[in-house]
Amino acid sequence: MLPTLVEQLATDTTGVSLPAARPEVALCATIVAMLLSRLIPGVRRLDAFWIALAGVVTAAGLLVAEASGGLAAIERTELFTGLLVQDPLGVYARGLLLVFALLFVPLVRITGLANRHDGQDLYTLVLGALVGMCLMARANHLVTVFIGIEMASVPSYVLAGIVKGRRRAGEAALKYSVYGAAAAGVMLYGVSLLAGVLGTAHLPTMGARAAALVASPGADAAVAQLTVLALGATLLLVGMAFKLSAAPFHFWAPDVFAGAPAEIGGFLSTASKAAALVLMVRLLAAAAPHNAMLAEDQTSSLAASVALVSTADSPAPSKPAAASNAAETGAAAATGDPIRRFLTVSLAMVAIATCTLGNLAAFGQKNAKRLLAYSTIAHAGYLLMPLAAAVRLAREDPTAADAAVGAMLFYATGYLFLNLTAFAVVALVRNHRGTEQLDDYAGLGRSAPLAAGALAIAALGLLGLPPLVGFFGKFAMLRSVVEASGPLMTALLVTALLNTAASVFYYLRLVKLAVIERPNANSAAVDRGPMPPLARTWLVVCGAPIVVLGLFPEVVASLASAASSGLFR
């Protein structure tokens, strides 16, 4: 009955879903407050920086209260009739995004990108994209997947051209938006194919039905459905590869990063990538055979009702329910190999191509932002490797598959501090010397020793040298690949080692220019005075975790392990 359904929805929304979404509500309230502040004469004089910072701090405090009992104590709960999910992975990912926001909001204020008059626009776009990324991290339905990606992407297109009157920034924004629209169309077509074949857009239910479809006899209709299913999955992966700047859909990144401000490059290469990786984990966990066959018991009441209606005409089982479920689970596990093989090979090949192209293209770059753009492309390949290993291990050893995802989360956490520090130094040097060319970084250690030291630590961490956090992240990633074993995993391991060795050249060149070399007498760059004290303080705050987490990696490793526990079981 409609009244009963409305009452259930209201109870679920107000009693369960909204309390679990308080950080996102706080971010939305902050956006509204910044927009309304322009209309109120007394509040108009207030710097939007303080409103944005207060909103982010409030959201972070609400998330800490949400996880006060520890990540392991958070039970998986579906929200808003199955559109979102509350679990340790979502809490960890949102925490990572809010930590980024706590660093990014002061950074753009220090560098002057968000001034007193136009700061509302930038902060509104950043927080709006952050809400979309939080939805991506908690997506449990294809509709939420698409909405979250678009909510994160559309503000990013505007942020790429946020600097007024700069032709290269406008070109970067135009190119990013055109390519992004094309990728969104391709991904939406894939979503429609998947939902049409499987009869649902609920991710766990989709995994269960895909496993059942693979387990069905090889009739012509089943073969045709599997073909469409493979095409839809490929198109969806194309959209995700674009978001991750993974090959062969990485072509937008160098030009966009070079044209956009360095601060926005740090935003696109860290927060956006972290949200896309967590969303990728959601999609892969739904497609894994072990998790898929158990998914029907985890759906929301609405999704479960739809599943019951779709199976009402099937004949009643002749065996006891427990034996029947066990037999179906075993059959799906035995026949789930085609799905796992498809995903494993696809992820591995994309990872190999992305690593290799990113590192090779970084050679010979003369612009600091383009160099870091190709570096972030290469790291997208590294971050995809443990996901390929997780899918490979999903059936034989779900615990090891969870550990592989935990390795990716640890790597992504360290990468946030590493890459944001590197892009922040580029932005500060732009203000300090008026240049973004690598040759003009010579002698930076004499005029701005703290900036040169932060850049050196970030570069060495991205390279993966101990005792920095990048070493332990890369070590955990390689360990998960080794545990997966197999010829394809061996190819991934060899590719990672060779690319790491190749990247030594341009990372150490960056360190040499900033720390060792003397100033270039023929350089047109001129120091514009010492860096502000707030800039130096920010570099210490953001750069310290690179060393601290390298010396004490177990702090983040335990949280990442708790966040990934149970994903493939």
Side-chain angles (χ1 to χ4, degrees):
M1 298 296 291
L2 182 59
T4 304
L5 179 60
V6 171
E7 182 180 355
Q8 290 177 350
L9 289 174
T11 303
D12 174 76
T13 300
T14 58
V16 179
S17 299
L18 281 179
R22 285 177 295 182
E24 289 86 347
V25 173
L27 293 177
C28 292
T30 304
I31 294 173
V32 174
M34 283 192 294
L35 294 176
L36 292 179
S37 65
R38 291 185 171 184
L39 305 177
I40 304 175
V43 185
R44 190 181 304 171
R45 299 180 181 180
L46 181 64
D47 193 342
F49 164 74
W50 297 109
I51 301 176
L53 186 62
V56 173
V57 171
T58 301
L62 291 172
L63 185 66
V64 170
E66 185 178 309
S68 58
L71 292 179
I74 299 175
E75 296 183 1
R76 188 183 190 278
T77 306
E78 293 198 341
L79 311 174
F80 301 106
T81 67
L83 293 176
L84 299 177
V85 65
Q86 170 81 337
D87 63 354
L89 177 62
V91 173
Y92 185 93
R94 290 151 64 213
L96 193 61
L97 292 172
L98 289 175
V99 168
F100 168 83
L102 288 172
L103 293 171
F104 187 78
V105 170
L107 173 65
V108 294
R109 187 71 176 88
I110 292 170
T111 60
L113 185 63
N115 55 41
R116 186 179 182 87
H117 301 288
D118 299 328
Q120 291 96 336
D121 298 333
L122 188 142
Y123 295 131
T124 299
L125 292 169
V126 169
L127 295 186
L130 199 66
V131 173
M133 294 174 191
C134 290
L135 294 182
M136 292 170 61
R138 310 178 78 183
N140 197 48
H141 196 278
L142 285 180
V143 172
T144 319
V145 169
F146 185 75
I147 291 176
I149 289 177
E150 288 305 293
M151 284 186 64
S153 298
V154 174
S156 300
Y157 304 153
V158 184
L159 287 170
I162 195 69
V163 179
K164 299 178 181 178
R166 186 178 178 185
R167 181 178 177 181
R168 291 184 63 190
E171 291 177 354
L174 179 61
K175 181 175 292 189
Y176 193 17
S177 61
V178 170
Y179 289 155
V186 170
M187 184 177 61
L188 186 59
Y189 185 44
V191 166
S192 66
L193 292 178
L194 292 173
V197 170
L198 298 175
T200 180
H202 183 253
L203 292 183
T205 308
M206 289 177 64
R209 294 186 181 180
L213 184 62
V214 173
S216 63
D220 293 340
V223 173
Q225 286 180 321
L226 288 175
T227 302
V228 177
L229 196 64
L231 177 60
T234 301
L235 296 178
L236 182 58
L237 289 175
V238 166
M240 296 302 301
F242 175 85
K243 196 65 183 173
L244 287 168
S245 63
F249 307 100
H250 66 287
F251 43 80
W252 61 272
D255 293 338
V256 171
F257 278 57
E263 301 92 327
I264 304 303
F267 172 79
L268 296 177
S269 64
T270 51
S272 181
K273 195 179 297 294
L277 286 166
V278 175
L279 177 56
M280 182 75 80
V281 171
R282 297 282 186 202
L283 297 173
L284 295 176
H290 270 73
N291 193 33
M293 292 310 297
L294 298 175
E296 295 285 2
D297 296 332
Q298 300 171 348
T299 57
S300 65
S301 59
L302 182 61
S305 300
V306 174
L308 287 174
V309 170
S310 64
T311 58
D313 296 332
S314 60
S318 58
K319 295 181 292 184
S324 176
N325 290 338
E328 290 176 2
T329 303
T335 57
D337 284 341
I339 296 177
R340 292 195 308 115
R341 283 199 300 268
F342 172 79
L343 293 174
T344 303
V345 172
S346 299
L347 291 173
M349 297 306 294
V350 169
I352 290 173
T354 303
C355 269
T356 305
L357 288 174
N359 281 311
L360 292 180
F363 287 93
Q365 295 297 326
K366 298 181 179 180
N367 182 276
K369 290 190 296 187
R370 289 188 71 90
L371 175 67
L372 292 177
Y374 283 112
S375 170
T376 195
I377 291 172
H379 278 83
Y382 292 133
L383 289 162
L384 285 174
M385 290 182 180
L387 296 187
V391 177
R392 171 72 175 80
L393 292 165
R395 198 187 97 182
E396 291 84 1
D397 192 350
T399 303
D402 293 342
V405 174
M408 185 277 293
L409 292 175
F410 181 87
Y411 196 176
T413 303
Y415 180 75
L416 182 146
F417 295 104
L418 291 166
N419 222 43
L420 185 57
T421 300
F423 274 100
V425 171
V426 173
L428 293 172
V429 171
R430 174 201 66 207
N431 294 346
H432 178 62
R433 290 191 166 187
T435 181
E436 293 173 346
Q437 299 301 310
L438 286 175
D439 291 340
D440 295 329
Y441 278 55
L444 182 64
R446 298 173 181 268
S447 60
L450 188 59
L455 183 60
I457 290 175
L460 295 176
L462 290 170
L463 175 58
L465 294 183
L468 305 177
V469 66
F471 168 77
F472 293 98
K474 193 163 290 187
F475 177 81
M477 178 269 295
L478 294 176
R479 181 180 178 181
S480 66
V481 173
V482 171
E483 289 183 357
S485 68
L488 191 58
M489 295 297 111
T490 302
L492 276 180
L493 179 63
V494 172
T495 300
L497 294 175
L498 291 178
N499 276 279
T500 299
S503 64
V504 170
F505 172 79
Y506 62 86
Y507 283 130
L508 290 187
R509 174 174 174 246
L510 194 58
V511 175
K512 178 185 176 184
L513 282 171
V515 178
I516 299 176
E517 287 195 4
R518 297 176 177 273
N520 187 0
N522 298 324
S523 175
V526 178
D527 291 341
R528 301 177 180 178
M531 287 190 178
L534 285 177
R536 297 196 295 268
T537 303
W538 189 96
L539 288 175
V540 171
V541 171
C542 190
I546 299 175
V547 179
V548 174
L549 296 181
L551 296 175
F552 306 99
E554 62 277 1
V555 177
V556 175
S558 60
L559 292 175
S561 177
S564 62
S565 178
L567 287 173
F568 292 92
R569 282 179 284 174

